[in-house]
Amino acid sequence: MRKIKEVLRLRNELKLDQRQIARSCSISVSTVHEYLKQAAAANLIWPVPDDWDDAHLEAALFPSPGASPQPPTGKAAPDFAAIHEQLQRHRHVTLQLVWEEYRDANPDGYRYSRFCELYQRWRRKLDVVLRQEHKAGEKAFVDWAGSTMPIHDRDTGNVWQASLFVAALGASSYTWAEVTRDQQMESWLLAHVHALEHWGGVPLLVIPDNTRTGVSKSCRYDPDVNPTYQNLAAHYGFGVLPARPYKPRDKAVVENAVQVAQRWILAALRQRKFFSLTDANQAVGELLHRINHRPFRKRDGSRASVFEALDKPVLQPLPGERFEISEWARARVNIDYHVAFDGNFYSVPYNLVQEAVEIRSTAATVEVLHKGGRVASHMRSRGRGKAVTNNEHRPKSHQAHLEWPPSRMVQWAEKIGPYTSQLFERILADKPHPEMGYRGCLGIIRLAEKYPHERMEAAERALLTGACRYRSIASILKNSLDRQPLPVSAAASSSAPPPTRQHSWSGVLRITKSVTNSGN
């Protein structure tokens, strides 16, 4: 406003023409003409009143359109505040529709182009930006770049697109960037680890975008951080504060860093051909060093020098051990007290059947957690369709059942007597598959809990009559048939060995042992 006051003084007090005023004030003649024109339109007198400040003078010379511009032509002023509210509330409402409604109510009102110009001028005054001040060592901002880098397969010639991870500290804008295979959880976590190790310390907060690897469920007020990402934060001691959805200005530092990385890394390497991530990251590291050490244009120093002076001295120290990357999943315990994970099945205590559990897996182990507590831990199986079972997780009845493999059944029968042993061999041998005779043998073992060994040798009668079944043995004992003399025909044949199938018992025992081992 000093220039305007000087123009008015030279014109009104010294009576200089416009060219002389322009040379005296070092401005153009057209600018002088415009100032004098505005003063005449506002009927401004010289000298201006003593109680007028610069704002009052500016308002008199250049009246703002404001919320409801007062047109000099007397046209009806649109209510831009109400118009803006309608545009925000109804997504299908357009300026064209609102203008037509305005013209219906005011036939002599503004034309469409002037109406839009006045609205945009009014709206720009609403778009006020908060200048964020970042404390040293407080925040780091992370994000994926929108552009990718092509990686070529040396053998097949195929090309796949690698992602670019970018992280920047708030106070110094000191940047870390690396190329990753994809944007999955493992790449996301490893990139964080590399950034923290590059900085040599840990900030208090990390501000990610609402990417699925960082935030399970985005929300403006209460976002749900991914459990694996939360474990990384707990290990290194920083907090995760996701940016608000669709608010890029919340993370303006990394948005600028991403732009710089895309221009000065991806664009600079566009002519080079890479065959591995290692080669690509080596080239990225060289350009990243240049970016961090490039002097600022409008202030002293560089990203690297400001980092050394501000951020580095106050960063939290790195923990003694590197973070072990783990994956999290949710599952429900099946009725066989196993949970399915990565194509295999892992046991949990049987009393958790149908309960919802969480699974934490690393490269070597699989842990199952219920309500935050660990209930099972197994070595990770690398096969497919395998069951990894801890015997202690089984019910007592299941444990007891598995304690009776065929070999043990035969050994138990031999303690009773030779006929009981022969009976077990006959039962197992007569079935198409030995496992089909397991239940019958177990039933006879149960009968031994009720009857003495002498009566259990009633198996001789069953062998002679060919009634080699559990029900036959139970009927003989229940009806005391074992105490009756054998029929003459059966007694005459008692000296002959019991009939056998073509395969020997030793072969059956080998089969049953293999079946038992495969079941366990």
Side-chain angles (χ1 to χ4, degrees):
M1 299 305 294
R2 289 184 296 103
K3 292 268 187 181
I4 296 177
K5 290 181 179 180
E6 182 65 11
V7 168
L8 295 176
R9 185 185 72 83
L10 295 176
R11 183 64 171 177
N12 290 281
E13 292 184 0
L14 301 182
K15 308 299 183 182
L16 298 182
D17 59 29
Q18 294 185 14
R19 293 185 180 277
Q20 293 173 322
I21 296 174
R23 288 195 298 270
S24 176
C25 296
S26 300
I27 57 178
S28 65
V29 176
S30 61
T31 303
V32 174
H33 175 75
E34 182 65 24
Y35 287 164
L36 295 177
K37 179 182 177 181
Q38 292 291 338
N43 296 321
L44 187 65
I45 60 173
W46 184 263
V48 297
D50 295 336
D51 57 346
W52 279 28
D53 55 12
D54 289 350
H56 199 161
L57 179 59
E58 182 179 7
L61 292 174
F62 309 103
S64 173
S68 299
Q70 297 298 329
T73 59
K75 295 181 178 180
D79 186 353
F80 288 123
I83 292 171
H84 184 71
E85 182 180 357
Q86 293 180 41
L87 293 172
Q88 294 291 319
R89 182 179 299 177
H90 306 284
R91 62 175 183 169
H92 298 298
V93 174
T94 63
L95 274 177
Q96 175 77 29
L97 175 61
V98 175
W99 172 76
E100 291 180 0
E101 294 173 350
Y102 162 76
R103 283 299 294 252
D104 290 342
N106 304 278
D108 296 331
Y110 293 106
R111 293 184 178 275
Y112 180 65
S113 59
R114 179 61 174 167
F115 179 88
C116 293
E117 178 187 352
L118 293 176
Y119 171 73
Q120 295 298 340
R121 186 185 301 176
W122 174 88
R123 187 176 177 275
R124 279 195 294 268
K125 292 184 176 293
L126 300 180
D127 196 15
V128 182
V129 178
L130 172 66
R131 184 176 184 85
Q132 302 183 37
E133 298 292 339
H134 300 292
K135 297 180 181 179
E138 182 183 34
K139 295 179 181 179
F141 300 82
V142 296
D143 200 0
W144 296 106
S147 302
T148 57
M149 176 182 289
I151 305 295
H152 301 259
D153 190 303
R154 193 183 300 273
D155 298 326
T156 65
N158 295 333
V159 180
W160 54 275
Q161 299 297 325
S163 300
L164 181 67
F165 173 86
V166 181
L169 292 169
S172 63
S173 296
Y174 192 64
T175 303
W176 167 256
E178 70 172 284
V179 179
T180 63
R181 178 168 297 277
D182 48 42
Q183 295 186 11
Q184 299 303 313
M185 179 60 70
E186 184 176 356
S187 300
W188 173 258
L189 298 179
L190 274 177
H192 278 71
V193 172
H194 295 161
L196 297 176
E197 292 176 351
H198 176 71
W199 295 331
V202 183
L204 296 177
L205 293 172
V206 172
I207 316 298
D209 198 0
N210 284 269
T211 175
R212 294 294 296 177
T213 48
V215 180
S216 300
K217 185 176 181 181
S218 61
C219 177
R220 179 186 179 95
Y221 303 105
D222 188 17
D224 188 8
V225 178
N226 189 295
T228 307
Y229 192 34
Q230 190 67 57
N231 282 348
L232 174 76
H235 180 81
Y236 284 100
F238 64 81
V240 178
L241 184 63
R244 293 175 298 170
Y246 310 109
K247 297 293 182 181
R249 287 174 179 169
D250 285 3
K251 49 186 179 65
V253 171
V254 74
E255 292 290 339
N256 180 66
V258 166
Q259 185 183 60
V260 170
Q262 292 181 149
R263 289 180 177 177
W264 296 99
I265 294 180
L266 295 182
L269 297 175
R270 69 189 184 281
Q271 303 293 349
R272 295 184 57 177
K273 195 174 184 179
F274 297 101
F275 297 95
S276 68
L277 288 177
T278 303
D279 295 340
N281 277 317
Q282 183 176 355
V284 169
E286 296 172 357
L287 295 177
L288 184 64
H289 183 271
R290 295 183 188 176
I291 292 173
N292 285 326
H293 289 79
R294 180 183 298 149
F296 291 125
R297 291 183 177 180
K298 297 183 179 180
R299 55 172 172 156
D300 296 334
S302 63
R303 291 177 174 84
S305 63
V306 177
F307 167 74
E308 294 290 338
L310 296 181
D311 283 322
K312 189 173 183 179
V314 296
L315 289 175
Q316 303 175 89
L318 291 168
E321 297 182 357
R322 202 180 199 193
F323 177 71
E324 183 181 17
I325 295 179
S326 61
E327 297 181 6
W328 286 81
R330 293 180 180 179
R332 190 170 294 277
V333 181
N334 203 353
I335 59 174
D336 63 354
Y337 46 88
H338 284 69
V339 292
F341 175 73
D342 193 26
N344 295 304
F345 304 92
Y346 299 88
S347 68
V348 300
Y350 70 92
N351 56 355
L352 295 178
V353 167
Q354 297 299 328
E355 292 287 335
V357 295
E358 291 182 314
I359 301 173
R360 177 182 179 269
S361 64
T362 65
T365 61
V366 173
E367 294 180 335
V368 183
L369 295 92
H370 180 249
K371 296 182 178 180
R374 187 175 68 179
V375 295
S377 179
H378 301 277
M379 296 299 295
R380 185 165 185 172
S381 175
R382 291 301 177 184
R384 301 289 294 181
K386 295 183 178 179
V388 182
T389 308
N390 185 340
N391 191 53
E392 296 179 355
H393 293 161
R394 295 187 171 105
K396 294 296 183 182
S397 59
H398 291 194
Q399 295 181 27
H401 174 79
L402 294 174
E403 288 175 357
W404 285 98
S407 58
R408 185 179 176 186
M409 293 180 188
V410 175
Q411 292 173 4
W412 177 89
E414 289 174 349
K415 294 178 182 178
I416 300 299
Y419 291 110
T420 306
S421 177
Q422 292 179 33
L423 176 65
F424 274 38
E425 293 179 5
R426 178 72 65 82
I427 292 174
L428 293 171
D430 284 348
K431 300 295 183 182
H433 193 282
E435 191 172 352
M436 297 172 66
Y438 288 1
R439 293 185 181 180
C441 293
L442 288 172
I444 297 173
I445 292 174
R446 290 288 181 88
L447 289 176
E449 299 176 1
K450 294 176 59 178
Y451 302 100
H453 290 184
E454 294 78 10
R455 296 195 64 188
M456 289 300 298
E457 278 294 274
E460 178 187 9
R461 181 181 294 269
L463 289 168
L464 294 175
T465 59
C468 299
R469 299 179 59 191
Y470 163 77
R471 289 185 178 182
S472 299
I473 301 298
S475 177
I476 291 172
L477 295 172
K478 181 179 179 181
N479 298 305
S480 299
L481 298 179
D482 57 303
R483 294 174 178 173
Q484 298 180 10
L486 290 170
V488 177
S489 59
S493 61
S494 61
S495 59
T500 59
R501 297 175 70 96
Q502 292 182 357
H503 54 274
S504 64
W505 165 246
S506 60
V508 173
L509 185 57
R510 285 197 300 271
I511 295 174
T512 54
K513 284 183 177 179
S514 65
V515 171
T516 304
N517 293 335
S518 65
N520 290 336

